[in-house]
Amino acid sequence: MLAELFLDASRACEAHSPLTRALLVAAAEDLARGGVTARVMAGAECDRHGTVPGLRFAGALHRLVLEGRAPALARHYPTVGGEPDFATLWDDALTVLHEQADELRALVTSTVVQTNEPGRSAPLFGGLHTATHLAADEAGRRARFPVRLLEVGASGGLNLRPHRVAYRVDGEVFGDPGSPFALDPGWTGRPPVDLRHDLRLVRRAGCDLDPVDVSTEDGRLHLSSFVWADQVNRFARLQAAIDLARLDPVPVRRATGPEWLAEQLAQPERDVLTVVWHSVVWQYASPADRAMGRAILADAAARATPVAPLALLVYEPRRTHAAGAYEFRLLLKLWPAGISLRLGTGAGHGVPFTWDTAPWD
């Protein structure tokens, strides 16, 4: 039942976004009694859990607020300077739902949930430094390899420029000190390599089933609307990452991951470390696409050489021993070296992160 999916989404954000939780709980109750929310969600009654209809609903409301089209509701939204008043929040939301039901339904039905968390650039940055160091050792090189970075499920491509971010760690700045995107990665420990070396990305590319063009205002609003509106630091981080992306554009191609990856990995590149990267996309891939992706990567790994190495670097959730609990792990595989490491664990958004290198089985 759709109301149950809204309640599921409300529980997922309970610890991090009281505003979103309150909206979704009230909307679930309204759905159950056939209120205006049912009109807004018409056509979504049979949506799968993975499409997260509750967050699409919350994102649609947030987008109207960001566009200045829901002033009464905006007073509750910190992303536009408001402060939630939970006693009147749902009444103000109801006014918007009644007045703009058709517009909200169009937004809900035409969008997919995409966050494209730029905080994940921080573990990516450390992971790339580690990979280039290990690949150089394997090849007997004094200098580290430059990187060709390939991102599957890149969304708006905000994590395709990790070398262009200013990472502020314990009074030091790594990456690009002059970047418009400065990030405190919240690290405990550091990668087991010298971060003062230049990280050279000579080629970057990404694919996504629904790529977002962040050079447009529509693209900015689309990604911004899915940030929970009481997470102002996360919202500001996204805006800075979009500003950087507009200065340093990297197009994201509309394509399936296996199809695109097969094309990109068809030929090894000499004197370059090719890194396949993805973050929090594996759970959304079909079993068929997962199997095909593994086969394509295995074929490319078999053709890797010390002077044309290949790496897989992923930041994905793994279930822990605790019931229903997950942790996000940064995992690295390097070919032909046969190195397989867990580099550390962190929050879903990549910040904070704890570096703790251990074998990855």
Side-chain angles (χ1 to χ4, degrees):
M1 189 167 78
L2 197 54
E4 284 300 319
L5 294 183
F6 271 54
L7 291 175
D8 284 347
S10 77
R11 287 187 282 269
C13 63
E14 183 172 3
H16 306 287
S17 179
L19 173 65
T20 308
R21 180 185 181 278
L23 277 173
L24 293 178
V25 169
E29 294 171 353
D30 191 57
L31 272 170
R33 58 177 177 261
V36 66
T37 308
R39 178 182 166 195
V40 170
M41 299 303 298
E45 294 84 357
C46 298
D47 279 11
R48 296 179 296 105
H49 182 275
T51 66
V52 206
L55 295 187
R56 284 161 37 221
F57 169 84
L61 279 174
H62 193 190
R63 174 147 183 167
L64 291 188
V65 167
L66 293 172
E67 291 178 330
R69 298 164 62 190
L73 189 58
R75 68 188 183 92
H76 301 281
Y77 278 64
T79 48
V80 291
E83 184 174 344
D85 177 356
F86 294 103
T88 60
L89 172 63
W90 183 243
D91 285 340
D92 288 335
L94 278 175
T95 299
V96 178
L97 293 173
H98 281 290
E99 291 178 350
Q100 305 198 55
D102 292 340
E103 175 66 14
L104 288 165
R105 184 172 66 250
L107 287 170
V108 166
T109 57
S110 65
T111 60
V112 296
V113 176
Q114 288 178 305
T115 52
N116 201 191
E117 293 294 339
R120 295 177 193 146
S121 282
L124 172 60
F125 177 76
L128 289 175
H129 269 285
T130 304
T132 56
H133 171 78
L134 293 173
D137 276 356
E138 172 70 12
R141 291 169 57 112
R142 296 183 61 183
R144 294 187 187 180
F145 281 95
V147 172
R148 176 172 63 136
L149 181 61
L150 307 176
E151 183 176 15
V152 177
S155 186
L158 297 185
N159 290 311
L160 281 168
R161 47 196 65 79
H163 59 315
R164 297 290 310 276
V165 179
Y167 304 94
R168 305 191 183 280
V169 183
D170 299 329
E172 295 184 82
V173 179
F174 301 106
D176 180 359
S179 175
F181 179 22
L183 176 64
D184 178 356
W187 283 353
T188 298
R190 293 191 186 182
V193 291
D194 188 351
L195 298 175
R196 291 170 297 183
H197 281 273
D198 284 340
L199 182 62
R200 294 176 54 217
L201 272 66
V202 292
R203 276 176 287 288
R204 296 165 289 164
C207 77
D208 197 275
L209 288 174
D210 295 285
V212 180
D213 184 356
V214 295
S215 70
T216 68
E217 189 60 19
D218 181 70
R220 182 193 286 271
L221 285 167
H222 176 72
L223 291 181
S224 299
S225 70
F226 287 115
V227 175
W228 293 332
D230 39 7
Q231 294 188 321
V232 290
N233 289 337
R234 183 178 160 214
F235 187 82
R237 187 164 69 219
L238 178 70
Q239 306 313 308
I242 291 174
D243 289 343
L244 175 59
R246 289 179 169 182
L247 292 173
D248 178 27
V250 183
V252 177
R253 188 194 305 176
R254 186 181 301 274
T256 65
E259 168 197 16
W260 179 81
L261 200 57
E263 175 188 320
Q264 297 294 321
L265 298 179
Q267 294 294 331
E269 274 201 51
R270 187 180 175 86
D271 296 322
V272 170
L273 172 62
T274 297
V275 179
V276 176
W277 152 258
H278 59 80
S279 64
V280 198
V281 299
W282 198 240
Q283 68 209 64
Y284 301 111
S286 69
D289 277 355
R290 291 184 189 185
M292 191 179 304
R294 288 191 184 102
I296 290 165
L297 193 65
D299 181 64
R303 290 182 277 110
T305 69
V307 295
L310 173 69
L312 173 67
L313 186 63
V314 303
Y315 190 65
E316 295 286 352
R318 295 291 179 100
R319 191 181 294 276
T320 66
H321 294 299
Y326 289 85
E327 66 178 11
F328 290 79
R329 300 177 183 174
L330 183 66
L331 305 171
L332 171 67
K333 284 185 179 288
L334 185 65
W335 297 279
I339 293 171
S340 186
L341 297 173
R342 186 203 69 196
L343 299 178
T345 58
H349 300 152
V351 178
F353 186 86
T354 297
W355 293 95
D356 181 22
T357 303
W360 172 21
D361 298 327

